[in-house]
């Protein structure tokens, strides 16, 4: 079985893939201090609780937090006796290389989302990911990542608003009943919710105009369904896009290794 690990700035997700479906998906906070042994205790106990056998023989990692990769490598080697593939590192090839400015390093999460979205939806896509940052990535007709947009994430914007203005409270992200708020919380919720609907729709419209071809918009991330309620123009929502992309990249590398063997 394949263990897919996606380490983001806020959370790290572990998913176990048996070749046909994900048997278990586990989530923990991203902490670079966490050791390989601590990962194992957490992972093995939850797998036992879910009654999923730990029969891992391959690991693939995507990480936007470089400092956690070392301990995840040790975790893979010590407990599964395998060397993990790490997206963006030597030994892990992409189905289609990105076409960006020379010398530019593209975030592994964006490359993985590109691979997953192309596998499910074909090319000429905009992939909107509501994470710590809100990213919009352009997938070309042949599946290459060709650029995109990075904006502050929804929760990051709320936190910045609270920290910069002492009188403004913490609020949750929700769709307000009305655009015009009649109290501070409602005003903040309206500003964030409808502001991000406008941001996503507006940037996607600009991308489509610049790209010059028909494009579909694919959303992912926990807040995507919420913003679809606000008339953000998504053609599809994928809740496991990153994990699916990791399985696609792993399968591609295995097929390449088989051809050269």
């Amino acid at each position: 079985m394949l263990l897919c690990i996606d380490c983001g700035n806020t959370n790290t997700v572990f998913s176990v893939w048996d070749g046909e479906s994900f048997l278990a998906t586990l989530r923990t906070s991203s902490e670079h201090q966490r050791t390989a042994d601590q990962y194992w205790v957490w992972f093995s106990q939850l797998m036992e609780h879910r009654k999923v056998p730990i029969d891992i023989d391959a690991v693939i990692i995507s990480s936007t937090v470089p400092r956690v990769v070392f301990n995840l490598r040790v975790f893979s080697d010590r407990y599964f006796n395998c060397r993990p593939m790490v997206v963006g590192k030597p030994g892990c090839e992409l189905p289609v290389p990105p076409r960006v400015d020379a010398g530019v390093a593209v975030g592994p999460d964006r490359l993985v989302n590109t691979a997953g979205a192309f596998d499910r939806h074909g090319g000429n896509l905009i992939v909107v990911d509501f994470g710590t940052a809100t990213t919009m990535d352009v997938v070309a007709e042949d599946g290459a990542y060709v650029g995109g947009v990075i904006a502050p994430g929804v929760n990051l914007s709320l936190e910045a608003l609270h920290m910069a203005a002492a009188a403004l409270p913490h609020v949750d992200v929700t769709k307000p009943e009305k655009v015009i708020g009649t109290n501070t919380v409602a005003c903040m919720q309206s500003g964030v919710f409808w502001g991000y609907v406008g941001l996503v729709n507006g940037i996607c419209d600009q991308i489509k105009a610049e790209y010059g071809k028909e494009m579909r918009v694919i959303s992912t991330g926990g807040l995507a369904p919420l913003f679809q309620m606000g008339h953000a123009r998504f053609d599809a929502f994928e809740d496991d896009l990153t994990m699916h992309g990791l399985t696609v990249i792993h399968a591609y590398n295995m097929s390449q290794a088989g051809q050269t063997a």
Side-chain angles (χ1 to χ4, degrees), residues 174-181 186 189-190 193-194:
T174 187
K175 180 182 179 181
E177 294 183 2
K178 300 182 295 182
V179 176
I180 303 173
Q189 289 175 331
S190 183
F193 180 83
W194 291 108

Side-chain angles (χ1 to χ4, degrees), residues 19 31 43 46 48 57 63 76 93 105 174 177 200-201 239 251 258:
E31 298 176 3
F43 179 78
L46 285 178
E48 181 180 356
D57 55 16
S63 177
S76 175
E93 301 296 327
T174 187
E177 294 183 2
V200 170
N201 287 342
D239 63 348

Side-chain angles (χ1 to χ4, degrees), residues 87-88 94 98-101 103-112 114 137 145 147:
V87 178
L94 298 172
R99 293 196 292 272
V100 293
D101 294 343
V104 170
V106 180
D109 54 333
R110 308 178 82 179
L111 297 175
V112 172
T114 294
D137 300 318
Y145 171 87

Side-chain angles (χ1 to χ4, degrees), residues 21-42:
S21 62
F22 290 109
L23 302 181
T25 296
L26 313 174
R27 186 180 298 268
T28 185
S29 58
S30 297
E31 298 176 3
H32 71 272
Q33 303 96 331
R34 186 168 295 167
T35 67
D37 297 331
Q38 288 174 316
Y39 278 119
W40 171 251
V41 171
W42 169 80

Side-chain angles (χ1 to χ4, degrees), residues 63-247:
S63 177
T64 58
V65 187
R67 288 191 293 176
V68 307
V69 174
F70 174 77
N71 283 326
L72 289 173
R73 285 185 185 271
V74 175
F75 167 70
S76 175
D77 180 64
R78 181 174 298 169
Y79 292 103
F80 307 124
N81 194 32
C82 67
R83 180 178 179 83
M85 290 183 188
V86 180
V87 178
K89 301 295 183 182
C92 184
E93 301 296 327
L94 298 172
V96 185
R99 293 196 292 272
V100 293
D101 294 343
V104 170
V106 180
D109 54 333
R110 308 178 82 179
L111 297 175
V112 172
N113 283 350
T114 294
F118 180 72
D119 184 68
R120 285 182 170 171
H121 300 279
N124 295 332
L125 305 174
I126 303 170
V127 180
V128 183
D129 188 352
F130 291 90
T132 303
T134 298
T135 58
M136 281 152 269
D137 300 318
V138 178
V139 183
E141 187 173 4
D142 63 349
Y145 171 87
V146 293
V149 174
I150 301 175
V154 179
N155 288 314
L156 189 63
S157 295
L158 279 171
E159 185 65 23
L161 191 61
H162 168 72
M163 291 181 65
L168 297 180
H170 282 289
V171 299
D172 62 332
V173 184
T174 187
K175 180 182 179 181
E177 294 183 2
K178 300 182 295 182
V179 176
I180 303 173
T182 54
N183 57 70
T184 300
V185 170
C187 289
M188 292 175 67
Q189 289 175 331
S190 183
V192 169
F193 180 83
W194 291 108
Y196 270 85
V197 169
L199 180 146
V200 170
N201 287 342
I203 292 179
C204 286
D205 286 345
Q206 291 292 327
I207 290 173
K208 291 175 181 179
E210 186 174 301
Y211 192 73
K213 296 180 181 179
E214 286 292 323
M215 305 181 78
R216 286 172 292 165
V217 181
I218 312 302
S219 67
T220 190
L223 291 175
L226 173 66
F227 283 97
Q228 194 152 357
M229 293 169 53
H231 311 294
R233 295 188 290 272
F234 303 137
D235 295 295
F237 165 66
E238 298 283 357
D239 63 348
D240 64 347
L241 185 64
T242 303
M243 290 299 158
H244 177 67
L246 286 171
T247 70

